[in-house]
Amino acid sequence: MRHRVLVVDDEEVVLGAVSTALRHDDLQIETSQSAGEALELLGRHSYDLVITDLMMPGIDGLELLQRIRDARGGTRAIMITGYPTIRTALMAKRLGASEYVTKPFTQQELRSVVVRVLRQAPENTDANERSSTPRATRLTYQIPGHSWLAIDSAKVVTVGMTAQFAASLGVIEGLGMPRVGTVVEQGRVCLTIRAKDGIEHSLHSPASGRVLEVNDAVIRDPGIAEREPEGAGWLLRLQPAYLDRELQRLMPIDPQIP
Amino acid sequence: MELTLWTAVVMTAILGGYAWFSLRLQRSWMLEEVRRGLLLASDTLNNGLRYGMQENRPEEILASIQRVARETHIHRIRIIGHGGQHILSTSGEEKGERLNPGSPGCIICHSSAGTVTPASALGASALTVLDGNTLRAFKPVPSEPGCFTGGCHAQDVRCGVLGLIELSLDLDVVEESMARRERQLGALALAASIIGGCALWFALSRRFRKPLRELLAGIRRISAGDLEYRIPLRRRDELGEVAESFNSMGGQLAAAQRGLIQSERLISMGKLAAGVAHEINNPLTGILSYGEALLEDTDPTDPRHKGCEIVVRESLRCREIVRKLLDFARQKPSERANVRPEDLIQRSIDVIVRTADFRNIRVEQSVEEDLPQLHVDPVQIQQVLLNLLVNAQQAMPQGGTISVQAARSDGGRRVVFAVKDQGIGIPEEIRTRVFEPFFTTKEGKSSGLGLAVCLGIVQQHGGSIEVESGVGKGTTFRVSLPVAEAPGNSAD
């Protein structure tokens, strides 16, 4: 079944760029240059995915998300943003966006997110967060449905991808890890994951800091990350820079009580 | 100039006043002298004429008094009888006239109240009177036994006084002498004023006027915006101190202005860059996406394929620049803690020292003992040090030694980090520009934001960053940061 996708952006060139990037995927793409028109279309038709710009005149992207969620649960959404800040990303996520993509994007970057989001079950987002986020084994903080961090000590945190994220990747073939010593930032791409279908996915870091260690076991056997993404399949150890402040922007997940 | 003028005026006034009072005093002294001289002359005359009078030889007496008058400038000598009648006079014309009963000569014995002082009580009494411009001395002539033997004063025996000798001195002579003295003293005072004034002007000018003018010129230049101007005044006195303080103030102002200009430029460029970056995002999205699509659709043997590759590659490069710009423009709130300077250095070195670029680089550390802690954002300051280390390495592509130092400065109120390389150095003409955003000598390899970011971070911490370099001699970057207010716990 062809997924029906609605792309919303006030600039035609971006609409064209999105359509072009996704032209080889089996998608039925429609475009709209305003949130008002998009809402009209959403009222008349059923879409599997809405890709919307954040900054638009009139009704902006966040408001559009809000209205989509209020009107009809289960429509998945991807936010396109020029400012890749965790704050807008998290806001978007709370309002029902599954993921966000930073402009300007490569075909690969957009396609990987679209593919991943469409693989996720089209459930009500609120419930989605609860049901499809497997309970962690220890207290973690998450970018919901994306990445997690666990506090080992005041100076070390462990970072990995959530089970939901891992499930949407398919078979993992390899990992593009950062070098030890480099600095990563919260909400920015910290590593890439290559899936067997050839799509390279980006993981946004849940915290800022310096990379202390990468999980060599996962590099040798990426299957570990696929099977135990919230345990032995951890990806990085960071020396966090602004942990107290950054934790406030993440969602705490209680440890699973056996 | 005004000071000198006023000093000269005051000096002239003092000298003039001194001359005036001195003249007045001299006049009164002189008058007293003249008076005494006149009285003495009247006494002398009285004694000298006694013999002539007793012998009653009026011609001889007249000749005597005429000689005396000639020799002493006394313009008139008269001999007056007891009844006031003129007996002899050097001027001659008043013969036969009488003195009034109230005349000064009479009241020596005959007071206005009618009492009479007897001759025995008179002694050497004489009287001088200033009558207009004439000083007159009256000397009573007492009677003696010889006076009655002749026929002259037989009738005057009942009274002890036979008459008066009157000497009149015209004070014009004195006045003339005084006027001469006044002229001399006035000329002297004027000369003293002129000479003193000139000397004073010269001394003041050498000592104050010139340095004050230089100070004034300096103040004018600085207020006109030339903050680098230094007053060339080397003195050990207060003026030297003023000049030194002034120079130091100028230096501080210039430094503050440089900092202000730098940070303002950073802020405004950051804002501009963020705005531009944001506007560029959408067109760049189109270029990148369609470029990638064209690249996919053209056969690798097609000459257009190469062009498409370039479009995609350069779009990605633009994207990187835009992202760096946005990072740069984003005001990152810092999270500060008390940290030890040596830890900041050690951690920064640890991060890079094992990387490939540092294979041929030796990093030397020299950290002063017991340095005070700094209250800084350790991540940001490490970023600054890392950036300086990487720059130092890039200046020595053939390898070499980087020296990293930390030491107290400003009396222990600051810590200065120095990162020194043995590289190619920075030419003077671009040394002041290295902190400008987008300024780079590594075209294509650097965004030109590294040092601008460093400057932004250091300024946010209340610090400063300086560069010292000579072509072929290497470059030293110095970062000065204020120490933590009170000793606290380390971030570790």
Side-chain angles (χ1 to χ4, degrees), chain A residues 11 13-14 16-17 20-21 23-24 55 82-83 102-107 109 155 181 185 188 210 241-243 245, chain B residues 278 281-282 284-286 288-290 292-293 296-297 316 319 323 326-327 330 333 335 351 377 379-380 382 386 492:
Chain A
E11 279 212 38
V13 69
V14 179
T20 308
R23 71 195 190 285
H24 295 311
M55 305 253 281
Y83 287 104
T102 309
K103 266 192 296 195
F105 44 78
T106 62
Q107 288 192 17
E109 284 162 1
K155 288 168 73 183
E185 277 191 62
R188 303 285 179 86
R210 198 175 296 286
Y242 312 108
L243 193 58
R245 195 165 62 214
Chain B
H278 190 242
N281 267 336
N282 283 349
L284 202 54
T285 305
L288 185 55
S289 193
Y290 286 106
E292 280 188 310
E296 254 181 41
D297 294 347
L316 287 171
R319 180 172 86 159
R323 286 187 177 171
L326 289 169
D327 278 346
R330 196 156 48 109
E335 203 152 281
V351 169
D377 183 324
V379 178
Q380 291 188 347
Q382 270 169 251
L386 261 177
D492 298 79

Side-chain angles (χ1 to χ4, degrees), chain B residues 261-274 328 437:
Chain B
I261 289 171
Q262 269 179 338
S263 53
E264 267 183 2
R265 188 181 288 165
L266 279 187
I267 291 166
S268 55
M269 287 203 79
K271 277 184 187 159
L272 179 74
F328 170 69

